[in-house]
mmCIF file of all heavy atoms in Angstrom:
data_model
loop_
_atom_site.group_PDB
_atom_site.id
_atom_site.type_symbol
_atom_site.label_atom_id
_atom_site.label_comp_id
_atom_site.label_asym_id
_atom_site.label_seq_id
_atom_site.Cartn_x
_atom_site.Cartn_y
_atom_site.Cartn_z
ATOM 1 N N TYR A 9 74.650 118.148 78.229
ATOM 2 C CA TYR A 9 74.167 116.770 78.109
ATOM 3 C C TYR A 9 75.375 115.850 78.248
ATOM 4 O O TYR A 9 76.517 116.241 77.977
ATOM 5 C CB TYR A 9 73.406 116.535 76.789
ATOM 6 C CG TYR A 9 74.214 116.730 75.533
ATOM 7 C CD1 TYR A 9 74.942 115.698 74.978
ATOM 8 C CD2 TYR A 9 74.254 117.965 74.896
ATOM 9 C CE1 TYR A 9 75.687 115.879 73.828
ATOM 10 C CE2 TYR A 9 74.987 118.158 73.745
ATOM 11 C CZ TYR A 9 75.705 117.113 73.223
ATOM 12 O OH TYR A 9 76.461 117.296 72.089
ATOM 13 N N ARG A 14 82.480 116.927 73.706
ATOM 14 C CA ARG A 14 82.917 118.323 73.862
ATOM 15 C C ARG A 14 83.322 118.604 75.313
ATOM 16 O O ARG A 14 84.224 119.378 75.570
ATOM 17 C CB ARG A 14 81.794 119.284 73.451
ATOM 18 C CG ARG A 14 81.460 119.222 71.983
ATOM 19 C CD ARG A 14 80.582 120.388 71.592
ATOM 20 N NE ARG A 14 80.189 120.269 70.204
ATOM 21 C CZ ARG A 14 78.995 119.888 69.792
ATOM 22 N NH1 ARG A 14 78.058 119.593 70.660
ATOM 23 N NH2 ARG A 14 78.722 119.800 68.515
ATOM 24 N N LYS A 17 86.860 117.242 76.562
ATOM 25 C CA LYS A 17 88.048 118.089 76.404
ATOM 26 C C LYS A 17 88.421 118.663 77.771
ATOM 27 O O LYS A 17 89.594 118.661 78.169
ATOM 28 C CB LYS A 17 87.762 119.248 75.430
ATOM 29 C CG LYS A 17 87.415 118.821 74.025
ATOM 30 C CD LYS A 17 87.022 120.035 73.162
ATOM 31 C CE LYS A 17 86.585 119.613 71.767
ATOM 32 N NZ LYS A 17 86.151 120.744 70.930
ATOM 33 N N TRP A 44 67.939 125.550 82.483
ATOM 34 C CA TRP A 44 69.298 125.908 82.049
ATOM 35 C C TRP A 44 69.709 127.161 82.806
ATOM 36 O O TRP A 44 69.204 128.268 82.566
ATOM 37 C CB TRP A 44 69.322 126.143 80.530
ATOM 38 C CG TRP A 44 69.127 124.900 79.711
ATOM 39 C CD1 TRP A 44 68.301 123.850 79.993
ATOM 40 C CD2 TRP A 44 69.757 124.574 78.464
ATOM 41 N NE1 TRP A 44 68.379 122.897 78.995
ATOM 42 C CE2 TRP A 44 69.252 123.320 78.043
ATOM 43 C CE3 TRP A 44 70.673 125.219 77.635
ATOM 44 C CZ2 TRP A 44 69.656 122.710 76.868
ATOM 45 C CZ3 TRP A 44 71.068 124.614 76.456
ATOM 46 C CH2 TRP A 44 70.579 123.366 76.086
ATOM 47 N N LYS A 64 61.838 128.647 74.903
ATOM 48 C CA LYS A 64 61.888 128.807 73.432
ATOM 49 C C LYS A 64 62.296 127.496 72.792
ATOM 50 O O LYS A 64 63.066 126.732 73.391
ATOM 51 C CB LYS A 64 62.948 129.849 73.080
ATOM 52 C CG LYS A 64 62.426 131.259 73.042
ATOM 53 C CD LYS A 64 63.349 132.122 72.208
ATOM 54 C CE LYS A 64 62.864 133.552 72.169
ATOM 55 N NZ LYS A 64 63.944 134.473 71.999
ATOM 56 N N PRO A 65 61.859 127.272 71.538
ATOM 57 C CA PRO A 65 62.304 126.045 70.858
ATOM 58 C C PRO A 65 63.820 126.039 70.703
ATOM 59 O O PRO A 65 64.417 127.098 70.503
ATOM 60 C CB PRO A 65 61.627 126.120 69.488
ATOM 61 C CG PRO A 65 60.568 127.155 69.610
ATOM 62 C CD PRO A 65 60.957 128.081 70.715
ATOM 63 N N SER A 66 64.410 124.883 70.814
ATOM 64 C CA SER A 66 65.856 124.734 70.596
ATOM 65 C C SER A 66 66.213 125.167 69.178
ATOM 66 O O SER A 66 65.437 124.937 68.245
ATOM 67 C CB SER A 66 66.220 123.262 70.797
ATOM 68 O OG SER A 66 67.377 122.926 70.088
ATOM 69 N N HIS A 67 67.368 125.794 69.022
ATOM 70 C CA HIS A 67 67.812 126.107 67.647
ATOM 71 C C HIS A 67 68.757 125.038 67.112
ATOM 72 O O HIS A 67 68.880 124.862 65.913
ATOM 73 C CB HIS A 67 68.449 127.501 67.560
ATOM 74 C CG HIS A 67 69.561 127.726 68.550
ATOM 75 N ND1 HIS A 67 70.809 127.201 68.390
ATOM 76 C CD2 HIS A 67 69.569 128.394 69.728
ATOM 77 C CE1 HIS A 67 71.552 127.560 69.422
ATOM 78 N NE2 HIS A 67 70.832 128.275 70.249
ATOM 79 N N THR A 68 69.431 124.326 67.973
ATOM 80 C CA THR A 68 70.369 123.295 67.512
ATOM 81 C C THR A 68 70.305 122.071 68.404
ATOM 82 O O THR A 68 70.714 122.121 69.573
ATOM 83 C CB THR A 68 71.838 123.816 67.546
ATOM 84 O OG1 THR A 68 71.877 125.127 67.011
ATOM 85 C CG2 THR A 68 72.787 122.912 66.777
ATOM 86 N N GLY A 69 69.786 121.008 67.868
ATOM 87 C CA GLY A 69 70.026 119.710 68.500
ATOM 88 C C GLY A 69 68.961 119.120 69.380
ATOM 89 O O GLY A 69 68.979 117.931 69.613
ATOM 90 N N PHE A 70 68.005 119.912 69.913
ATOM 91 C CA PHE A 70 67.095 119.293 70.885
ATOM 92 C C PHE A 70 65.672 119.084 70.372
ATOM 93 O O PHE A 70 64.929 118.294 70.955
ATOM 94 C CB PHE A 70 67.083 120.090 72.196
ATOM 95 C CG PHE A 70 68.385 119.995 72.943
ATOM 96 C CD1 PHE A 70 69.365 120.956 72.776
ATOM 97 C CD2 PHE A 70 68.645 118.917 73.775
ATOM 98 C CE1 PHE A 70 70.583 120.863 73.432
ATOM 99 C CE2 PHE A 70 69.852 118.812 74.438
ATOM 100 C CZ PHE A 70 70.827 119.787 74.267
ATOM 101 N N LEU A 74 63.174 124.587 75.223
ATOM 102 C CA LEU A 74 64.158 124.577 76.307
ATOM 103 C C LEU A 74 63.846 125.734 77.241
ATOM 104 O O LEU A 74 63.324 126.776 76.806
ATOM 105 C CB LEU A 74 65.569 124.729 75.733
ATOM 106 C CG LEU A 74 66.030 123.599 74.802
ATOM 107 C CD1 LEU A 74 67.343 123.977 74.114
ATOM 108 C CD2 LEU A 74 66.191 122.287 75.555
ATOM 109 N N LYS A 76 65.463 128.424 79.674
ATOM 110 C CA LYS A 76 66.735 129.041 80.062
ATOM 111 C C LYS A 76 66.433 130.293 80.882
ATOM 112 O O LYS A 76 65.549 131.080 80.503
ATOM 113 C CB LYS A 76 67.538 129.430 78.804
ATOM 114 C CG LYS A 76 67.789 128.241 77.868
ATOM 115 C CD LYS A 76 68.480 128.636 76.568
ATOM 116 C CE LYS A 76 68.532 127.445 75.608
ATOM 117 N NZ LYS A 76 69.121 127.739 74.320
ATOM 118 N N PHE A 86 74.676 132.792 73.402
ATOM 119 C CA PHE A 86 74.257 131.896 72.307
ATOM 120 C C PHE A 86 73.406 130.741 72.841
ATOM 121 O O PHE A 86 72.902 129.934 72.066
ATOM 122 C CB PHE A 86 75.479 131.380 71.533
ATOM 123 C CG PHE A 86 76.226 132.523 70.875
ATOM 124 C CD1 PHE A 86 77.290 133.129 71.520
ATOM 125 C CD2 PHE A 86 75.816 133.032 69.652
ATOM 126 C CE1 PHE A 86 77.954 134.213 70.955
ATOM 127 C CE2 PHE A 86 76.463 134.116 69.072
ATOM 128 C CZ PHE A 86 77.536 134.718 69.725
ATOM 129 N N GLY A 87 73.297 130.671 74.163
ATOM 130 C CA GLY A 87 72.373 129.734 74.799
ATOM 131 C C GLY A 87 72.715 128.270 74.596
ATOM 132 O O GLY A 87 71.823 127.422 74.587
ATOM 133 N N THR A 88 74.009 127.949 74.428
ATOM 134 C CA THR A 88 74.386 126.570 74.107
ATOM 135 C C THR A 88 75.018 125.834 75.296
ATOM 136 O O THR A 88 75.461 126.446 76.263
ATOM 137 C CB THR A 88 75.409 126.559 72.948
ATOM 138 O OG1 THR A 88 76.475 127.451 73.270
ATOM 139 C CG2 THR A 88 74.783 126.935 71.635
ATOM 140 N N VAL A 89 75.020 124.521 75.191
ATOM 141 C CA VAL A 89 75.808 123.665 76.080
ATOM 142 C C VAL A 89 76.857 122.937 75.228
ATOM 143 O O VAL A 89 76.601 122.703 74.048
ATOM 144 C CB VAL A 89 74.914 122.630 76.813
ATOM 145 C CG1 VAL A 89 74.049 123.304 77.844
ATOM 146 C CG2 VAL A 89 74.071 121.804 75.846
ATOM 147 N N PRO A 90 78.008 122.600 75.806
ATOM 148 C CA PRO A 90 78.389 122.790 77.197
ATOM 149 C C PRO A 90 78.487 124.254 77.570
ATOM 150 O O PRO A 90 78.959 125.083 76.797
ATOM 151 C CB PRO A 90 79.753 122.095 77.317
ATOM 152 C CG PRO A 90 80.300 122.061 75.936
ATOM 153 C CD PRO A 90 79.118 121.962 75.033
ATOM 154 N N PHE A 102 81.679 129.834 76.961
ATOM 155 C CA PHE A 102 80.999 128.956 76.001
ATOM 156 C C PHE A 102 81.972 128.569 74.905
ATOM 157 O O PHE A 102 83.063 129.129 74.808
ATOM 158 C CB PHE A 102 79.752 129.648 75.434
ATOM 159 C CG PHE A 102 79.934 131.093 75.080
ATOM 160 C CD1 PHE A 102 80.261 131.473 73.788
ATOM 161 C CD2 PHE A 102 79.787 132.075 76.042
ATOM 162 C CE1 PHE A 102 80.420 132.811 73.453
ATOM 163 C CE2 PHE A 102 79.957 133.417 75.720
ATOM 164 C CZ PHE A 102 80.280 133.789 74.430
ATOM 165 N N GLU A 103 81.577 127.610 74.092
ATOM 166 C CA GLU A 103 82.427 126.954 73.089
ATOM 167 C C GLU A 103 83.389 126.007 73.831
ATOM 168 O O GLU A 103 84.205 126.441 74.653
ATOM 169 C CB GLU A 103 83.219 127.931 72.216
ATOM 170 C CG GLU A 103 82.376 128.615 71.159
ATOM 171 C CD GLU A 103 81.793 127.627 70.154
ATOM 172 O OE1 GLU A 103 82.456 126.638 69.826
ATOM 173 O OE2 GLU A 103 80.658 127.834 69.714
ATOM 174 N N SER A 104 83.283 124.729 73.490
ATOM 175 C CA SER A 104 84.054 123.723 74.231
ATOM 176 C C SER A 104 85.563 123.984 74.172
ATOM 177 O O SER A 104 86.278 123.686 75.134
ATOM 178 C CB SER A 104 83.729 122.326 73.712
ATOM 179 O OG SER A 104 83.915 122.260 72.312
ATOM 180 N N ASN A 105 86.057 124.567 73.069
ATOM 181 C CA ASN A 105 87.501 124.836 73.019
ATOM 182 C C ASN A 105 87.885 125.931 74.012
ATOM 183 O O ASN A 105 88.972 125.897 74.595
ATOM 184 C CB ASN A 105 87.937 125.239 71.606
ATOM 185 C CG ASN A 105 87.931 124.056 70.656
ATOM 186 O OD1 ASN A 105 87.703 122.921 71.075
ATOM 187 N ND2 ASN A 105 88.172 124.307 69.382
ATOM 188 N N ILE A 107 86.274 126.477 76.826
ATOM 189 C CA ILE A 107 86.184 125.858 78.157
ATOM 190 C C ILE A 107 87.476 125.063 78.415
ATOM 191 O O ILE A 107 88.055 125.112 79.505
ATOM 192 C CB ILE A 107 84.925 124.955 78.255
ATOM 193 C CG1 ILE A 107 83.659 125.796 77.997
ATOM 194 C CG2 ILE A 107 84.857 124.265 79.607
ATOM 195 C CD1 ILE A 107 82.369 125.008 77.869
ATOM 196 N N LEU A 140 87.751 123.445 65.284
ATOM 197 C CA LEU A 140 86.383 123.978 65.355
ATOM 198 C C LEU A 140 85.731 124.015 63.972
ATOM 199 O O LEU A 140 84.541 123.728 63.833
ATOM 200 C CB LEU A 140 86.396 125.377 65.993
ATOM 201 C CG LEU A 140 85.035 126.075 66.111
ATOM 202 C CD1 LEU A 140 84.027 125.249 66.913
ATOM 203 C CD2 LEU A 140 85.191 127.445 66.766
ATOM 204 N N ALA A 143 84.727 120.620 63.425
ATOM 205 C CA ALA A 143 83.639 120.264 64.358
ATOM 206 C C ALA A 143 82.288 120.783 63.864
ATOM 207 O O ALA A 143 81.256 120.145 64.051
ATOM 208 C CB ALA A 143 83.928 120.838 65.741
ATOM 209 N N GLN A 147 79.148 118.396 63.297
ATOM 210 C CA GLN A 147 77.870 118.645 63.988
ATOM 211 C C GLN A 147 76.702 118.610 62.988
ATOM 212 O O GLN A 147 75.662 118.009 63.248
ATOM 213 C CB GLN A 147 77.915 120.003 64.698
ATOM 214 C CG GLN A 147 76.640 120.299 65.473
ATOM 215 C CD GLN A 147 76.650 121.669 66.133
ATOM 216 O OE1 GLN A 147 77.132 122.643 65.563
ATOM 217 N NE2 GLN A 147 76.132 121.750 67.343
ATOM 218 N N LEU A 151 73.815 115.822 63.426
ATOM 219 C CA LEU A 151 72.421 116.268 63.620
ATOM 220 C C LEU A 151 71.543 115.764 62.479
ATOM 221 O O LEU A 151 70.414 115.327 62.699
ATOM 222 C CB LEU A 151 72.344 117.791 63.718
ATOM 223 C CG LEU A 151 72.857 118.408 65.027
ATOM 224 C CD1 LEU A 151 72.831 119.933 64.953
ATOM 225 C CD2 LEU A 151 72.044 117.933 66.225
ATOM 226 N N GLU A 203 87.559 115.460 69.037
ATOM 227 C CA GLU A 203 86.852 115.651 67.760
ATOM 228 C C GLU A 203 86.770 114.342 66.973
ATOM 229 O O GLU A 203 85.784 114.089 66.272
ATOM 230 C CB GLU A 203 87.510 116.748 66.904
ATOM 231 C CG GLU A 203 87.418 118.149 67.469
ATOM 232 C CD GLU A 203 86.007 118.633 67.801
ATOM 233 O OE1 GLU A 203 85.024 118.010 67.367
ATOM 234 O OE2 GLU A 203 85.907 119.631 68.530
HETATM 235 N N1 LIG B 1 80.692 124.636 68.928
HETATM 236 C C1 LIG B 1 79.924 124.527 70.159
HETATM 237 C C2 LIG B 1 78.640 123.759 69.876
HETATM 238 C C3 LIG B 1 77.593 123.915 70.973
HETATM 239 C C4 LIG B 1 76.183 123.599 70.487
HETATM 240 O O1 LIG B 1 75.837 123.810 69.305
HETATM 241 N N2 LIG B 1 75.340 123.094 71.392
HETATM 242 C C5 LIG B 1 73.938 122.809 71.045
HETATM 243 C C6 LIG B 1 73.646 121.327 71.289
HETATM 244 S S1 LIG B 1 74.545 120.305 70.170
HETATM 245 C C7 LIG B 1 72.998 123.572 71.998
HETATM 246 O O2 LIG B 1 73.353 123.815 73.136
HETATM 247 N N3 LIG B 1 71.788 123.975 71.559
HETATM 248 C C8 LIG B 1 70.897 124.766 72.414
HETATM 249 C C9 LIG B 1 69.641 125.224 71.699
HETATM 250 O O3 LIG B 1 69.323 124.651 70.661
HETATM 251 O O4 LIG B 1 68.961 126.139 72.203
HETATM 252 C C10 LIG B 1 80.804 123.888 71.234
HETATM 253 O O5 LIG B 1 81.780 123.212 70.905
HETATM 254 O O6 LIG B 1 80.540 124.077 72.448
#
Side-chain angles (χ1 to χ4, degrees):
Y9 62 88
R14 294 193 184 104
K17 298 175 184 178
W44 291 37
K64 271 201 181 151
S66 155
H67 53 76
T68 316
F70 291 94
L74 297 170
K76 303 175 188 177
F86 297 93
T88 51
V89 289
F102 42 94
E103 284 297 325
S104 54
N105 287 354
I107 301 172
L140 179 58
Q147 182 182 39
L151 287 175
E203 293 305 346

